[in-house]
Amino acid sequence: MNRRYATFKMDRGDIKFRLYNETPIQTNRFVHNATTGLFKGIKFYRVEPNFCIQSSPLEKEGVIHSRMYDEVIEPRRLKNNNFHFYGVLSACSTGAEHTSVGAFFIALSRNYTNHLDETQTSFGIVIEGRELIEQIQKDELINDIIISES
């Protein structure tokens, strides 16, 4: 099975995530949103040290918004490995099933994010640019998110 990656193109440098194969619905929705331009030019609107950095797609005219359904429990998740720790890419939701609307966050700790294991879907992990994550500021721009395979 091919690995998929999401590269956040930012002014300060690229941050690359390996997307999980065990979350096919969540990962495919994220890939769809990225490749249709829904993430182009979005900002990190929430920055909470030791917790998370959060962003959300822009609603653009002519772009169909693709909901990113959560996959916390099997069989929607192919492995029972939904853990939130530093560098994990995860979907935002209200905590109830199927309430993710495309917002996502990067976890900044395990101690302050472990409660999210039950309600939020982790779907990727940082593999390059880890040192750039904690430098992200509120309202910092993500120029684009590029999807690649290997």
Side-chain angles (χ1 to χ4, degrees):
M1 181 178 282
N2 284 346
R3 291 249 181 232
R4 288 190 286 181
Y5 303 91
T7 302
F8 288 39
K9 305 297 279 183
M10 301 177 64
D11 290 343
R12 73 174 65 246
D14 294 349
I15 302 173
K16 187 174 183 178
F17 295 87
R18 180 181 56 82
L19 302 177
Y20 297 160
N21 289 329
E22 57 266 25
T23 54
I25 296 170
Q26 183 71 48
T27 298
N28 288 337
R29 300 279 183 188
F30 183 85
V31 167
H32 170 80
N33 286 346
T35 57
T36 58
L38 205 60
F39 295 143
K40 187 174 274 211
I42 62 175
K43 295 180 179 181
F44 285 105
Y45 63 84
R46 179 181 182 192
V47 176
E48 291 191 34
N50 297 315
F51 184 58
C52 78
I53 304 165
Q54 188 170 329
S55 190
S56 183
L58 299 172
E59 295 290 339
K60 297 179 183 176
E61 187 174 327
V63 175
I64 298 172
H65 185 79
S66 179
R67 296 180 74 84
M68 292 168 44
Y69 293 105
D70 55 289
E71 299 172 278
V72 175
I73 56 173
E74 296 180 85
R76 290 173 293 160
R77 187 174 191 91
L78 303 179
K79 293 181 184 177
N80 187 18
N81 63 346
N82 192 53
F83 302 109
H84 291 80
F85 50 88
Y86 190 91
V88 163
L89 184 62
S90 186
C92 301
S93 72
T94 66
E97 288 186 15
H98 307 309
T99 58
S100 176
V101 293
F104 57 87
F105 66 92
I106 303 168
L108 296 178
S109 116
R110 176 67 182 152
N111 291 337
Y112 298 106
T113 58
N114 61 356
H115 67 285
L116 300 175
D117 296 351
E118 299 299 318
T119 58
Q120 314 299 319
T121 302
S122 61
F123 64 95
I125 182 69
V126 66
I127 59 168
E128 292 176 17
R130 181 181 173 101
E131 69 283 359
L132 301 175
I133 291 174
E134 285 192 25
Q135 298 174 25
I136 294 172
Q137 302 292 314
K138 186 176 187 297
D139 294 327
E140 188 165 343
L141 190 69
I142 301 171
N143 297 313
D144 204 358
I145 297 178
I146 306 299
I147 304 299
S148 59
E149 287 190 29
S150 69

